[in-house]
Amino acid sequence: MKKLLLVAVMAAGMFSASAQTKIGYINTDELISLMPEAVKADAEIKDFQASLQQQGQTLQTEADQKRDQYFKDSTTLSQSMKEIRRSELVKLYTRLQNYDQEIQEKSSQYAQTKIIPIRQKAMDAIKTVAKEKGYTYVLDESQGHILVMPPGDDLLAAVKTKLGIKDPAPAAAGK
């Protein structure tokens, strides 16, 4: 009899614990794209990438000029000077070939420095809303890792409100 009563109490405890579980979801990529800081960071990242591209074009122009000068002067240069200039050209063109990868790495690093604080602000707001509204679990819809789950609530609207993000005005109806 005691065992039956103990099992009943434990079962009731598990049912009440699972009844308290509240699940919500949010698309963090969508949230971050709506944040004014993200728009500003995106513009800064594009400017940074444009400056790197400009440096690459300058490097290409320099290499082309040195190559043209080498061919122009090659008839008057000694063999040892030709070797020195050829070596310089090979180094310059090698650097130019590696520059695309360098641009990618620098762009990625710069983007991370801009995105991390924005992502942290979004996560803090999500955690605050989840706590205020009593959510035990909040799933990230943008990651797409969970294929089946119990019904939950979309927290995007509440987090946008917490961050002060207003919905854009609906487009005027066509005439």
Side-chain angles (χ1 to χ4, degrees), residues 76-109:
T76 60
L77 293 175
S78 67
Q79 190 61 31
S80 61
M81 261 326 265
K82 283 182 185 181
E83 288 298 321
I84 291 171
R85 292 240 184 122
R86 193 176 304 133
S87 174
E88 289 173 357
L89 280 173
V90 167
K91 287 178 186 175
L92 190 55
Y93 276 101
T94 301
R95 179 164 184 249
L96 192 57
Q97 286 177 338
N98 294 332
Y99 193 71
D100 283 339
Q101 182 178 350
E102 189 177 326
I103 285 175
Q104 293 298 324
E105 290 172 5
K106 285 182 179 181
S107 292
S108 178
Q109 290 171 352

Side-chain angles (χ1 to χ4, degrees), residues 95-159:
R95 179 164 184 249
L96 192 57
Q97 286 177 338
N98 294 332
Y99 193 71
D100 283 339
Q101 182 178 350
E102 189 177 326
I103 285 175
Q104 293 298 324
E105 290 172 5
K106 285 182 179 181
S107 292
S108 178
Q109 290 171 352
Y110 185 77
Q112 287 301 315
T113 63
K114 295 293 181 183
I115 293 169
I116 287 173
I118 296 168
R119 184 167 290 281
Q120 186 60 51
K121 182 178 179 181
M123 292 305 299
D124 290 345
I126 291 167
K127 288 176 184 176
T128 301
V129 167
K131 186 174 183 179
E132 288 173 356
K133 298 201 178 270
Y135 286 92
T136 310
Y137 297 99
V138 177
L139 308 172
D140 188 351
E141 186 180 43
S142 62
Q143 298 301 316
H145 294 299
I146 298 180
L147 301 176
V148 177
M149 64 181 179
D153 299 322
D154 187 356
L155 300 180
L156 183 61
V159 176

Side-chain angles (χ1 to χ4, degrees), residues 47-77:
D47 288 345
F48 183 76
Q49 290 171 335
S51 77
L52 290 176
Q53 290 291 341
Q54 181 60 42
Q55 290 174 5
Q57 290 173 350
T58 301
L59 187 60
Q60 178 70 51
T61 302
E62 178 187 345
D64 291 344
Q65 288 173 346
K66 286 189 176 190
R67 180 201 59 215
D68 293 345
Q69 189 65 40
Y70 171 78
F71 286 130
K72 182 179 175 185
D73 295 344
S74 66
T75 57
T76 60
L77 293 175

Side-chain angles (χ1 to χ4, degrees), residues 7-21:
V7 170
V9 169
M10 287 178 62
M14 287 192 318
F15 284 123
S16 67
S18 65
Q20 294 173 358
T21 300

